[in-house]
Amino acid sequence: MDIQQKKAVEFIRKAMDHTGLDATNLARRAKIAPSTLTRILNGTVKNTLSARTIIKVAEIAGLPNPLTVDEISPMKNIPLYGYVGAGDKVYPVESDGPIDHVTTPFSADIDVSALIIRGDSMFPVYWEGDMVFFSADRRMDPRDLLMTECIVYLKSGEVYIKQIHPSRTEGKYMLISYNAPPILEQEIEWASPIIFVDRRNRKS
């Protein structure tokens, strides 16, 4: 369990103590899926809480929002590396560095990067124009990210946002969308779980 996940567990337990509720009922009061909290407490997911979930839980528990300092949200500029395909085929920008820098709507660690979604195969969870944040330094083995929504870099060069599933062929994977046919028998160079989604600039 990494530092972010440990902080998420501590926050959930503190909220449970303040409300006297277990994780399932705390989630229901906050109007989020119970598995959102229980899976993090049980250590069965690789990602952590979104900023939106943290705010909801803090409000229900009567806790200060941990994403703010003196009631001002901490913002950081982080590198934007281009686009990620959600249906559209996208290749990384040929560059030694980011194409731009963007301000995060949450407290970001130093290694967080951003990509903008192109395509609608992951709708309604991810829309074209949404910005997704991930750790470019946290390049994980796809075997450790099965059933997880990730930024996926394929050995063929494309970059997608997909859910990773096992394939019949060893060393290859199936990439799952919410509303499009799966992409079969893919070799993944590396993958990184999504940390947060900024939906402020989505295309309606």
Side-chain angles (χ1 to χ4, degrees):
M1 186 179 291
D2 62 23
I3 294 175
Q4 284 187 337
Q5 289 171 304
K6 288 180 180 178
K7 287 182 178 179
V9 170
E10 291 172 1
F11 172 69
I12 295 169
R13 294 195 184 284
K14 187 174 182 180
M16 290 165 60
D17 289 341
H18 272 247
T19 59
L21 300 171
D22 61 16
T24 298
N25 286 299
L26 175 62
R28 287 172 178 163
R29 286 278 300 277
K31 296 183 179 180
I32 58 178
S35 61
T36 301
L37 304 186
T38 57
R39 292 174 66 193
I40 289 176
L41 289 175
N42 295 334
T44 56
V45 291
K46 301 293 183 182
N47 54 347
T48 186
L49 296 174
S50 70
R52 185 178 181 183
T53 298
I54 290 172
I55 291 170
K56 284 184 175 182
V57 172
E59 288 177 349
I60 292 299
L63 295 172
N65 182 352
L67 302 180
T68 63
V69 178
D70 295 331
E71 299 183 353
I72 300 175
S73 297
M75 307 288 276
K76 292 183 181 179
N77 286 326
I78 64 169
L80 173 67
Y81 280 98
Y83 298 90
V84 58
D88 287 3
K89 185 177 288 188
V90 175
Y91 292 87
V93 176
E94 294 297 331
S95 172
D96 293 332
I99 63 170
D100 201 352
H101 283 78
V102 295
T103 302
T104 71
F106 69 107
S107 181
D109 288 339
I110 193 170
D111 63 346
V112 170
S113 304
L115 291 167
I116 298 172
I117 293 176
R118 279 186 173 170
D120 60 3
S121 69
M122 298 297 282
F123 181 86
V125 178
Y126 303 98
W127 293 30
E128 182 161 355
D130 283 353
M131 190 176 298
V132 290
F133 298 89
F134 70 105
S135 172
D137 292 336
R138 192 182 178 193
R139 302 185 177 191
M140 300 178 63
D141 190 314
R143 291 174 294 183
D144 296 327
L145 293 170
L146 296 179
M147 317 301 176
T148 303
E149 292 162 6
C150 301
I151 302 298
V152 181
Y153 277 71
L154 301 183
K155 289 190 176 181
S156 55
E158 300 100 317
V159 186
Y160 290 105
I161 176 172
K162 298 290 181 184
Q163 192 177 94
I164 301 173
H165 286 245
S167 175
R168 294 179 180 179
T169 305
E170 185 176 355
K172 294 186 177 182
Y173 299 88
M174 179 168 53
L175 305 181
I176 299 295
S177 300
Y178 287 114
N179 59 33
I183 304 176
L184 306 176
E185 300 291 305
Q186 296 298 310
E187 291 186 271
I188 296 176
E189 183 71 31
W190 60 270
S192 183
I194 294 167
I195 298 171
F196 182 76
V197 186
D198 184 355
R199 299 180 170 89
R200 293 176 296 177
N201 298 310
R202 64 173 34 174
K203 296 181 179 180
S204 57

